[in-house]
Amino acid sequence: YPPLTTIPPPAKYGGRHTVTLIPGDGIGPELLTHVRELFRFCCVPVDFEIVSIDSKSTSDDDMNNAITAIRRNGVALKGNIETNHNLPPSHISRNNILRTSLDLYANVIHCQTLPGVRTRHRDVDIIIIRENTEGEYSSLEHENVPGVVECLKIITRKKSLRIAEYAFNAARQNGRRRVTAVHKANIMKLGDGLFLQCCKEVAAGYPEITFDSMIVDNTTMQLVSKPQQFDVMVMPNLYGSVISNVCAGLVGGPGLVPGANYGKDYAVFETATRNTGKSIANKNIANPTATLLASCLMLDHLRLHGYASMIRKAILATVSETRLHTADLGGQGTTSEVVQSVMREIESKGPRTSEQI
Amino acid sequence: MAGNAWRSTVSRVVGAMKSQASHPRTFSRGLQTVTLIPGDGIGPEISTAVMKIFEAAKAPIQWEERNVTAIKGPGGKWMIPTEAKDSMDKSKIGLKGPLKTPIAAGHPSMNLLLRKTFDLYANVRPCVSIEGYKTPYTDVDLVTIRENTEGEYSGIEHVIVDGVVQSIKLITEEASQRIAEYAFEYARNNQRASVTAVHKANIMRMSDGLFLRKCREVAENFKDIKFTEMYLDTVCLNMVQDPTQFDVLVMPNLYGDILSDLCAGLIGGLGVTPSGNIGANGVAIFESVHGTAPDIAGKDLANPTALLLSAVMMLRHMGLHGQAKKIETACFDTIRDKKVLTKDLGGNSKCSEFTGEICRRVQDME
């Protein structure tokens, strides 16, 4: 194969977009490099502004620069930033700070059974909409007396209405029939009770969509026995973490599912389960599918639908090839083999690659 | 056989619990009193089923039925009725059916109240695949140990201003230490190889950080047990892909609630999962963890397996291994045979028929 360091041709269809790229820790850097490689190969009119925030950056300045960069560009693609446990508790997770500063209130994950991936459950197709800025992730903790710690979970009417509105709107736009609110209002009567109440209020404005609710522990049980019953699910932050990881596991694991974080003004794309993958970093064995699909979500967001579908089709064709499966899918393929296969697939389908200009 | 692994696991669970009891009681002769709390919904009918089966097995148990619906005590504080408390304090052993927890009824969750009254700090749920009841997951063999008194279920919530609610998650050094110690001792007494602490200390730095720290400290005294830590989301992700990688899991309240139900789902649901609660003063309450199922209550459709298996755990706790084995074998054989099964197990027999079948098998073993 010819080297991929060719200079891309000038854009043919108008302007180029600038997107902030945050490599993060673990497998983030290598996978995002593959994304850049792929984009160059396909002549995607996107330029990346790389901002290096990782577990080694401890100063607030680095964080502020990253946030400013995303504000400037409006869109970001990121890897996960590890939280260093050796630092004192006042050091809040960088990923969390990004989400709250940019008010990326909706975390959207679409878990679908992919052809060619062997799982215990078939026909899973669930959209998870998770409140992304408050709830248990408010980072409000204090030690009242030594040995007694309080952690505050905050639920507000405003944010609950907002996420419920987002969920029902998304359901309507995607032609979905049912929204399920996941909660624990039998125990957290005021907190989750408020969340549930807000969902009910919003549901009244969408009569064509069925609304029901389910307690979180029952939900996980139902998910492992009959996940096909779920359509769209909306929930507060922590339950969102649990449910999205369970669903990602059901459809094949962390290497396959992309995730998106949407706010009113900004959007940040990453893998759904936000893993650093420290133990498999730099070994060319990580599954790039989730990251590549996340970049497609980003392209759709930028209204570059042609590129998005082209790349997505190629990724799905590659994933269905069992011999290319990486270790997480039970195979022995390497990351670069998967990426090369995606590129070959794109090349074979049309005249949009840099080699054929 | 229907899970020799299961049986040996259960006897091991009880082995650990026995070592926790502050006063070993001998039950070689005479009847042992057990406080029975039938509960709501299908509770009464499955309790009756268990009592019938125990009678058929001639188990030396004397049941003392008590109601635990909350009453307002002196000073306006909600508490369980005195008769119930006195009975439990005397017998030290309880068997409980499902209790209703209505949303916004004024009084706290009844299950929470029971836990607070008897300081039931550890909820132990062994999850082992049942032969004869197929699920997509095979070879599950893990135990979830959940801190049961604090964490997210402290019950402390307030409306700060209209539209802003704060729920408080409480983590204390003492409770974290206690549950960690229980988990490691359990692992040691039951020959389990590893204990995994489940947490979210990347987000809840101080609270889960404290929990994790105590687990690490306790692990130092149990060098023969492998100690690992894993984020809650990673555990969930891995659990649904490959549950065989997990052994003993210890965690704070909310995560324990979710994970123990997730694991119950892997082996077939709450209708077949036993559970035990360990208290601070040698009290142990065994319970079925499913709901009250109001839609099938009173219709003779309920499945008594969960309550029955919890009662079997209870028998082993009391040292009545022979009886326990008899009843458990009868139950598993019935399930494996698939001829008389309740609806949730895939058959269409009534609860009374299922119970009758187990009673017949138990009597045949005489």
Side-chain angles (χ1 to χ4, degrees):
Chain A
Y1 287 100
L4 293 160
T5 50
T6 48
I7 301 164
K12 286 185 173 184
Y13 299 106
R16 301 176 67 82
H17 298 265
T18 310
V19 168
T20 308
L21 188 79
I22 301 174
D25 295 299
I27 53 175
E30 66 191 87
L31 294 183
L32 289 171
T33 304
H34 283 302
V35 170
R36 281 157 59 209
E37 221 174 271
L38 182 62
F39 276 23
R40 265 174 113 77
F41 181 80
C42 301
C43 301
V44 176
V46 167
D47 293 316
F48 286 109
E49 181 189 343
I50 302 174
V51 177
S52 293
I53 293 283
D54 52 32
S55 51
K56 292 189 275 303
S57 17
T58 45
S59 87
D60 281 338
D61 281 341
D62 290 327
M63 208 50 231
N64 290 333
N65 289 339
I67 293 172
T68 312
I70 302 178
R71 285 213 170 101
R72 193 169 47 234
N73 298 324
V75 178
L77 186 61
K78 79 183 258 295
N80 197 44
I81 304 163
E82 192 188 344
T83 306
N84 188 347
H85 283 234
N86 296 323
L87 294 171
S90 49
H91 174 83
I92 300 176
S93 154
R94 308 281 97 173
N95 306 302
N96 202 19
I97 295 181
L98 265 172
R99 292 191 287 265
T100 49
S101 311
L102 298 167
D103 202 21
L104 301 168
Y105 65 90
N107 180 224
V108 183
I109 290 163
H110 188 181
C111 289
Q112 277 178 301
T113 315
L114 295 180
V117 177
R118 232 168 35 112
T119 54
R120 289 183 178 86
H121 308 272
R122 307 259 96 219
D123 303 319
V124 177
D125 190 352
I126 304 173
I127 297 181
I128 297 161
I129 294 172
R130 160 189 180 184
E131 206 294 321
N132 215 7
T133 54
E134 60 171 17
E136 300 81 349
Y137 287 38
S138 306
S139 300
L140 293 167
E141 297 181 290
H142 45 265
E143 192 161 13
N144 300 14
V145 292
V148 176
V149 174
E150 269 188 359
C151 174
L152 307 181
K153 162 178 166 166
I154 311 287
I155 300 279
T156 58
R157 165 173 290 277
K158 182 165 144 224
K159 291 195 177 181
S160 302
L161 285 173
R162 188 169 65 166
I163 194 67
E165 193 64 56
Y166 186 94
F168 277 91
N169 199 26
R172 179 177 270 173
Q173 287 191 344
N174 286 293
R176 300 293 210 153
R177 306 254 48 104
R178 191 167 141 238
V179 172
T180 307
V182 178
H183 66 96
K184 190 93 189 144
N186 52 339
I187 302 292
M188 281 177 259
K189 301 171 200 286
L190 294 182
D192 286 353
L194 175 59
F195 181 82
L196 205 52
Q197 177 61 32
C198 294
C199 290
K200 284 197 185 116
E201 280 173 28
V202 172
Y206 293 79
E208 81 277 15
I209 296 176
T210 315
F211 171 67
D212 55 15
S213 62
M214 202 183 267
I215 299 183
V216 61
D217 29 330
N218 186 24
T219 310
T220 53
M221 253 195 312
Q222 298 291 325
L223 278 170
V224 295
S225 49
K226 210 159 42 94
Q228 299 80 5
Q229 63 182 290
F230 295 104
D231 194 355
V232 177
M233 299 166 81
V234 63
M235 61 208 84
N237 219 328
L238 182 70
Y239 312 145
S241 172
V242 170
I243 303 290
S244 46
N245 276 272
V246 168
C247 290
L250 292 177
V251 298
L256 294 178
V257 191
N261 303 283
Y262 296 108
K264 189 160 78 73
D265 304 311
Y266 314 109
V268 174
F269 301 88
E270 54 178 350
T271 62
T273 50
R274 302 170 174 168
N275 304 100
T276 339
K278 243 187 336 186
S279 55
I280 55 171
N282 299 316
K283 294 183 182 163
N284 201 20
I285 53 176
N287 191 342
T289 309
T291 308
L292 293 175
L293 285 174
S295 68
C296 291
L297 289 178
M298 182 193 77
L299 290 173
D300 273 324
H301 182 79
L302 293 174
R303 307 234 191 285
L304 294 169
H305 299 296
Y307 291 101
S309 336
M310 176 179 81
I311 297 174
R312 190 176 284 127
K313 274 205 191 74
I315 297 170
L316 294 178
T318 303
V319 143
S320 61
E321 284 269 356
T322 320
R323 64 179 175 81
L324 287 170
H325 281 183
T326 42
D328 59 310
L329 296 175
Q332 290 170 325
T334 63
T335 316
S336 34
E337 275 169 14
V338 176
V339 178
Q340 296 285 343
S341 165
V342 173
M343 291 199 231
R344 266 199 306 275
E345 187 66 38
I346 291 172
E347 198 171 27
S348 70
K349 284 292 187 298
R352 294 178 84 153
T353 62
S354 56
E355 274 62 49
Q356 280 154 307
I357 300 285
Chain B
M1 269 287 246
N4 287 308
W6 207 108
R7 270 199 287 279
S8 58
T9 300
V10 171
S11 58
R12 279 178 289 162
V13 169
V14 179
M17 292 194 205
K18 270 176 75 172
S19 68
Q20 293 296 307
S22 54
H23 58 282
R25 299 171 73 150
T26 48
F27 310 115
S28 44
R29 281 190 282 168
L31 293 175
Q32 168 58 25
T33 313
V34 167
T35 309
L36 175 69
I37 302 161
D40 308 306
I42 55 171
E45 47 198 295
I46 55 176
S47 304
T48 311
V50 170
M51 287 197 280
K52 265 210 199 92
I53 295 171
F54 270 48
E55 201 186 306
K58 298 203 185 64
I61 303 287
Q62 181 175 278
W63 305 100
E64 216 170 72
E65 268 190 56
R66 290 287 178 268
N67 188 334
V68 292
T69 314
I71 55 168
K72 254 215 168 122
K77 226 176 120 188
W78 290 101
M79 52 185 245
I80 64 170
T82 342
E83 309 84 52
K85 183 163 191 310
D86 290 342
S87 171
M88 264 312 300
D89 283 337
K90 210 164 51 140
S91 63
K92 297 287 189 194
I93 311 274
L95 183 67
K96 177 177 94 59
L99 291 175
K100 211 166 39 185
T101 303
I103 299 180
H107 63 74
S109 149
M110 281 317 308
N111 291 306
L112 272 183
L113 204 53
L114 265 176
R115 270 170 228 144
K116 283 217 158 76
T117 311
F118 299 107
D119 201 14
L120 301 174
Y121 68 92
N123 177 242
V124 184
R125 222 187 268 188
C127 292
V128 185
S129 294
I130 295 180
E131 194 189 319
Y133 189 40
K134 284 266 160 290
T135 63
Y137 300 89
T138 53
D139 301 321
V140 180
D141 183 3
L142 53 88
V143 183
T144 57
I145 296 180
R146 158 192 177 187
E147 203 292 322
N148 222 358
T149 60
E150 55 175 26
E152 299 81 348
Y153 293 10
S154 56
I156 313 170
E157 290 188 291
H158 350 271
V159 179
I160 311 286
V161 292
D162 187 36
V164 179
V165 174
Q166 168 182 297
S167 302
I168 296 186
K169 162 177 166 163
L170 192 64
I171 298 280
T172 61
E173 189 168 344
E174 197 187 313
S176 304
Q177 171 128 2
R178 189 166 62 166
I179 194 69
E181 269 168 5
Y182 180 81
F184 278 95
E185 265 162 29
Y186 172 93
R188 186 176 267 171
N189 294 334
N190 291 274
Q191 293 87 45
R192 306 295 300 211
S194 71
V195 171
T196 306
V198 181
H199 65 98
K200 267 215 84 62
N202 52 342
I203 300 293
M204 284 170 257
R205 305 291 320 274
M206 239 188 248
S207 39
D208 282 357
L210 173 59
F211 179 82
L212 205 52
R213 227 171 28 247
K214 295 322 282 183
C215 288
R216 285 181 188 147
E217 278 172 29
V218 172
E220 291 298 309
N221 299 332
F222 290 84
K223 291 281 202 245
D224 48 323
I225 313 276
K226 178 159 166 252
F227 173 65
T228 47
E229 346 178 318
M230 212 186 252
Y231 289 139
L232 171 68
D233 34 321
T234 312
V235 172
C236 289
L237 185 59
N238 293 343
M239 183 70 77
V240 297
Q241 291 179 82
D242 180 21
T244 60
Q245 63 187 278
F246 295 104
D247 195 348
V248 176
L249 299 162
V250 63
M251 60 214 110
N253 217 330
L254 175 68
Y255 313 154
D257 193 1
I258 299 176
L259 265 181
S260 54
D261 277 4
L262 177 60
C263 296
L266 298 177
I267 62 166
L270 297 182
V272 295
T273 309
S275 170
N277 298 290
I278 310 305
N281 299 312
V283 166
I285 300 186
F286 300 85
E287 59 176 353
S288 62
V289 288
H290 50 71
T292 52
D295 47 331
I296 58 169
K299 297 183 184 165
D300 198 19
L301 294 171
N303 176 2
T305 304
L307 191 63
L308 185 63
L309 292 178
S310 304
V312 165
M313 259 169 100
M314 179 191 77
L315 284 175
R316 292 207 163 99
H317 176 84
M318 292 158 49
L320 297 164
H321 296 281
Q323 309 278 4
K325 197 169 162 80
K326 208 163 51 173
I327 297 173
E328 191 186 54
T329 310
C331 180
F332 283 148
D333 285 351
T334 309
I335 295 178
R336 202 163 17 119
D337 245 12
K338 294 197 211 261
K339 289 208 201 74
V340 188
L341 293 177
T342 48
K343 190 143 170 277
D344 61 309
L345 291 174
N348 46 27
S349 304
K350 291 195 180 313
C351 173
S352 44
E353 291 167 351
F354 183 69
T355 309
E357 178 67 18
I358 300 180
C359 289
R360 254 189 303 280
R361 283 180 193 269
V362 160
Q363 279 159 344
D364 285 344
M365 287 185 203
E366 291 295 322

